[in-house]
Amino acid sequence: MFRRIKITLSLLLTLSLLLIYLPQSLPIAGAAAAGQASQIDAVLVVDVSNSMNTSDTDKIGNEAMKMFIDMLSTKGDKVGIVAYTDKVQREKALLEIQSPSDKEDLKKFIDGLDRGPYTDTAVGITEAMKVLQHGADPNHEPMIVLLADGNNDFAKNSGRTQSQSDKEMAQAVQEAKDAGIPIYTIGLNADGKLNKQALEDLANETGGKSFSTNTADDLPQILSEIFASHLKLKVVPIQSMTGNGKFQEVTINVPNASVLEANISIMSSKPVETVLVDPTGTEVAVPSDNVLLSKSKSYSLIKLLTPAEGDWKLKVKGASKDKIDINLVFNYDLELAIDPIPSKTYKPGDKIDIRASLTSNGQQLPNTELYTNMNAVLVVKDLDSSKTEEIKLTNTGDSFKGSYTIADKHEYELTVRAEEKSFYRETEPVTVSAKGTTSSSGSAGVTTPKPADVEKEEAKPFPVMLTIIWGLIIATLLGAAILIMKMIQKANKGFVGQLVIEIRDENTNEKTFPQYKKLGAFKGKFNLHQLLQLAPELKETEGFIFNPGSNDRIIIRSQNGGTLEKSGRAVDISKGLELKSGDRITVPLSQADKTIFLEYLV
């Protein structure tokens, strides 16, 4: 078999060398991607201590997190979840959303969260940082959302002190600041014991925002605000209503053709019925190809994909006297770019002309309609005195223009901010200096980012034959790569994901801290005893064998005809039991008077 691999690798190398001599700029059909909103990597950190049984009796916090997940794009975003008390109770690594089933998987995980005693917020934030460090995409916007309801509460026999917790939190916050990861905090102050200042400091230090509320009913609205704020969007409130058992109509205005998604959240304590009519007056099925519907016990979310511009009509029928709140959040493929500022030595009294424009996929938008209801300001920060001033810019119909006159021999940071009722955008900051210093590149007085609207060099046309050759080579390379992958996987198949292990002593009823065992290091197969670090008292676990399965699953078998429990039922695993992500099993040990709890996560 390895001789075949060697031959295939030789072929692959030969074809790769041919590519070196083909034109580098040969165009590939379909290379221009469709518009895509900014992607995010979010870790939801939730306090699941027993105090939440009082402050959030109906688990509305869980519902709010589920709505946050439903508001994410249909593909590309990543979400992880950390549930903590004074230890990590349960954790889900970052999962990339590729289909509706991925969102359902995340929401089922949230529904399965249990509560326990004690609280140590540093544990949750520290673990969230680890989740991002091990799975975040460098091209995504990372974020942490923390939901907590009180102060720390340590077990007396743990030896943990507030000082130790503070030190661990400070380290996690510093790591978040260094990595540019904002932490958004939500304080649920139902019993009046919330340490609001600590949560505000946590958010302020990392560039996030802090929210607090006395009632869990506000949590869905707050999660909507956080989602919008992180993507530089605005929540557009639609009129609230009180259900009367009949359809009531509201208008949903889609302002322009650059809207990628429109998220319509309908929050109510009881189920609602909806009817949707597009701007042409045609009733649209909910759900349908371009209209997605997510429902939960406290909200319904309608997501319009690339909706037509104009006034949509939403008809909502709610139960009598049920309060219904409707909010709208758009998602855009838009950025704001500032024109390059001339490199020169600036001095007090010099005037700098400013021009900024909206861009999409790096190209300036020709659509002037977007500018109609927008206002823009130039934000000037004096880096020497820390003073900030705003200068209103003129909307020219296809850009924003204005000027700034240098006041002192200081350094200044210039940023343009433009907004309308549903979104805002900010340019990358540009630093100019009037101190007469020269930059290392030989230009003086200005540091400017690469303009987002620089025209890309047009690909030169090439003969049809070269395009055909390119296609054949791509197909051959792809086939060879697939062949190699299959042969290597067959010879040495590995595992993905991790197993979460807890062990309960049946004599004392105490349970160990969850251990997260990554499976990537194992090849072919391994036994449970290996995973438990060959502890002598757990030797009877040698008979439980794990093998890799298809579609990121694993198979557990027993060499001795043993049984385990899944969903409360005894299962014979002599012929093997397939585990998928999220499955939990229980392995009772007769010789050691212990029970092992396993959860498989991908």
Side-chain angles (χ1 to χ4, degrees):
M1 184 195 322
F2 288 99
R3 181 173 178 271
R4 290 172 59 197
I5 293 176
K6 183 177 180 181
I7 293 172
T8 308
L9 283 172
S10 298
L11 175 61
L12 189 59
L13 177 60
T14 302
L15 290 171
S16 299
L17 289 172
L18 285 174
L19 285 177
I20 296 175
Y21 297 98
L22 284 179
Q24 294 297 311
S25 58
L26 189 64
I28 301 175
Q36 175 64 59
S38 298
Q39 308 276 222
I40 66 176
D41 288 346
V43 179
L44 306 176
V45 183
V46 56
D47 175 358
V48 291
S49 59
N50 286 334
S51 60
M52 292 288 281
N53 289 327
T54 301
S55 55
D56 188 9
T57 307
D58 297 324
K59 295 188 175 181
I60 294 175
N62 289 7
E63 296 298 300
M65 288 189 291
K66 287 154 64 176
M67 190 177 81
F68 179 93
I69 290 167
D70 280 330
M71 292 178 72
L72 296 173
S73 296
T74 54
K75 284 187 178 182
D77 292 326
K78 290 184 176 183
V79 180
I81 302 166
V82 174
Y84 74 94
T85 52
D86 62 337
K87 58 186 179 182
V88 177
Q89 290 284 5
R90 291 193 67 195
E91 171 187 330
K92 192 169 187 65
L94 285 171
L95 173 67
E96 183 172 356
I97 296 170
Q98 293 294 335
S99 67
S101 64
D102 291 326
K103 290 189 176 183
E104 290 303 315
D105 185 26
L106 289 162
K107 291 189 287 185
K108 285 179 182 177
F109 183 89
I110 291 171
D111 283 335
L113 295 179
D114 297 321
R115 290 174 175 169
Y118 311 114
T119 311
D120 189 349
T121 305
V123 169
I125 296 299
T126 298
E127 193 62 28
M129 283 301 302
K130 291 179 181 177
V131 170
L132 285 171
Q133 288 164 351
H134 289 94
D137 188 320
N139 296 316
H140 287 193
E141 297 284 343
M143 66 186 300
I144 293 173
V145 181
L146 169 67
L147 172 60
D149 77 331
N151 297 306
N152 286 341
D153 178 23
F154 307 112
K156 292 181 180 179
N157 61 357
S158 69
R160 178 78 159 180
T161 65
Q162 185 64 50
S163 176
Q164 291 172 326
S165 178
D166 290 343
K167 184 177 180 181
E168 185 176 322
M169 178 67 86
Q171 181 178 345
V173 168
Q174 188 60 52
E175 290 176 358
K177 290 169 63 177
D178 292 343
I181 300 173
I183 300 176
Y184 296 84
T185 62
I186 308 172
L188 186 51
N189 194 30
D191 59 1
K193 297 180 180 180
L194 179 72
N195 189 341
K196 294 183 183 180
Q197 191 60 51
L199 294 181
E200 288 178 4
D201 291 345
L202 188 59
N204 292 337
E205 285 189 56
T206 59
K209 290 186 177 181
S210 182
F211 300 82
S212 64
T213 177
N214 295 326
T215 171
D217 293 340
D218 293 337
L219 294 179
Q221 176 72 23
I222 291 173
L223 264 293
S224 296
E225 294 280 356
I226 290 174
F227 172 86
S229 176
H230 192 66
L231 293 178
K232 296 182 175 64
L233 306 170
K234 292 183 179 181
V235 176
V236 181
I238 308 298
Q239 68 182 69
S240 298
M241 62 179 69
T242 300
N244 59 11
K246 300 178 181 180
F247 279 107
Q248 300 178 69
E249 184 177 281
V250 295
T251 299
I252 305 293
N253 176 258
V254 176
N256 54 68
S258 292
V259 173
L260 291 178
E261 296 178 350
N263 292 289
I264 307 168
S265 58
I266 307 168
M267 287 165 277
S268 58
S269 61
K270 296 179 181 179
V272 298
E273 295 180 46
T274 57
V275 173
L276 187 65
V277 179
D278 70 16
T280 69
T282 304
E283 184 173 321
V284 180
V286 181
S288 55
D289 289 345
N290 290 317
V291 180
L292 308 182
L293 175 65
S294 305
K295 281 191 173 184
S296 185
K297 63 182 181 182
S298 63
Y299 72 88
S300 295
L301 189 131
I302 299 174
K303 183 186 290 285
L304 308 181
L305 304 179
T306 57
E309 178 184 349
D311 287 340
W312 294 64
K313 300 298 181 182
L314 177 66
K315 301 176 183 179
V316 181
K317 181 197 290 187
S320 179
K321 298 183 180 180
D322 185 28
K323 183 184 177 184
I324 302 170
D325 291 319
I326 304 173
N327 287 320
L328 177 63
V329 177
F330 294 118
N331 212 347
Y332 292 89
D333 172 36
L334 292 175
E335 298 296 336
L336 185 65
I338 192 169
D339 284 3
I341 294 175
S343 297
K344 56 173 286 186
T345 301
Y346 290 97
K347 61 184 184 297
D350 283 352
K351 186 175 74 170
I352 301 175
D353 291 325
I354 300 295
R355 179 182 180 274
S357 54
L358 293 169
T359 67
S360 177
N361 285 327
Q363 305 298 315
Q364 183 173 335
L365 285 180
N367 181 4
T368 57
E369 181 185 1
L370 273 172
Y371 292 85
T372 303
N373 298 312
M374 296 193 73
N375 297 305
V377 294
L378 172 66
V379 182
V380 181
K381 182 178 181 180
D382 186 324
L383 298 179
D384 292 78
S385 66
S386 297
K387 293 181 179 179
T388 300
E389 64 175 308
E390 292 187 358
I391 301 168
K392 187 175 181 180
L393 298 180
T394 301
N395 185 336
T396 65
D398 62 356
S399 65
F400 306 101
K401 290 183 177 181
S403 63
Y404 174 68
T405 302
I406 299 288
D408 297 297
K409 289 186 176 182
H410 292 173
E411 287 190 347
Y412 299 89
E413 185 179 84
L414 310 180
T415 306
V416 175
R417 176 187 171 106
E419 61 184 316
E420 58 107 61
K421 67 178 182 179
S422 64
F423 76 99
Y424 70 94
R425 289 294 184 269
E426 293 178 345
T427 64
E428 292 292 328
V430 176
T431 302
V432 297
S433 176
K435 293 183 175 181
T437 57
T438 303
S439 67
S440 58
S441 63
S443 298
V446 62
T447 302
T448 182
K450 294 180 181 178
D453 58 347
V454 173
E455 293 290 338
K456 297 180 180 178
E457 183 179 353
E458 294 185 2
K460 298 178 180 179
F462 283 88
V464 175
M465 183 58 68
L466 282 180
T467 304
I468 295 173
I469 292 173
W470 178 273
L472 290 173
I473 290 175
I474 291 288
T476 307
L477 287 172
L478 182 60
I482 292 172
L483 176 60
I484 290 173
M485 288 296 295
K486 286 184 177 179
M487 288 190 289
I488 292 175
Q489 288 174 354
K490 185 175 180 181
N492 197 15
K493 193 170 185 179
F495 295 82
V496 298
Q498 58 186 333
L499 280 170
V500 185
I501 303 173
E502 294 177 277
I503 302 175
R504 184 177 67 202
D505 189 320
E506 296 303 330
N507 296 316
T508 64
N509 208 36
E510 291 185 355
K511 188 183 289 187
T512 63
F513 187 90
Q515 301 177 55
Y516 295 84
K517 301 289 186 178
K518 296 187 181 297
L519 306 182
F522 294 102
K523 304 294 181 184
K525 66 178 180 180
F526 65 91
N527 64 53
L528 182 55
H529 198 210
Q530 290 174 272
L531 210 62
L532 299 172
Q533 299 179 330
L534 303 177
E537 70 274 18
L538 304 176
K539 187 174 176 59
E540 66 184 288
T541 59
E542 285 181 338
F544 293 93
I545 309 297
F546 292 90
N547 292 95
S550 58
N551 300 320
D552 293 341
R553 302 187 180 192
I554 56 176
I555 311 295
I556 182 170
R557 292 183 173 85
S558 173
Q559 291 181 330
N560 306 316
T563 61
L564 51 74
E565 293 179 3
K566 184 172 187 270
S567 302
R569 298 181 181 180
V571 180
D572 181 359
I573 60 169
S574 57
K575 295 183 179 180
L577 172 68
E578 184 179 70
L579 301 178
K580 64 180 183 300
S581 181
D583 280 351
R584 286 182 276 184
I585 58 175
T586 304
V587 182
L589 303 181
S590 56
Q591 299 176 17
D593 286 332
K594 297 181 186 297
T595 300
I596 300 175
F597 300 86
L598 300 173
E599 180 179 10
Y600 178 50
L601 299 176
V602 176

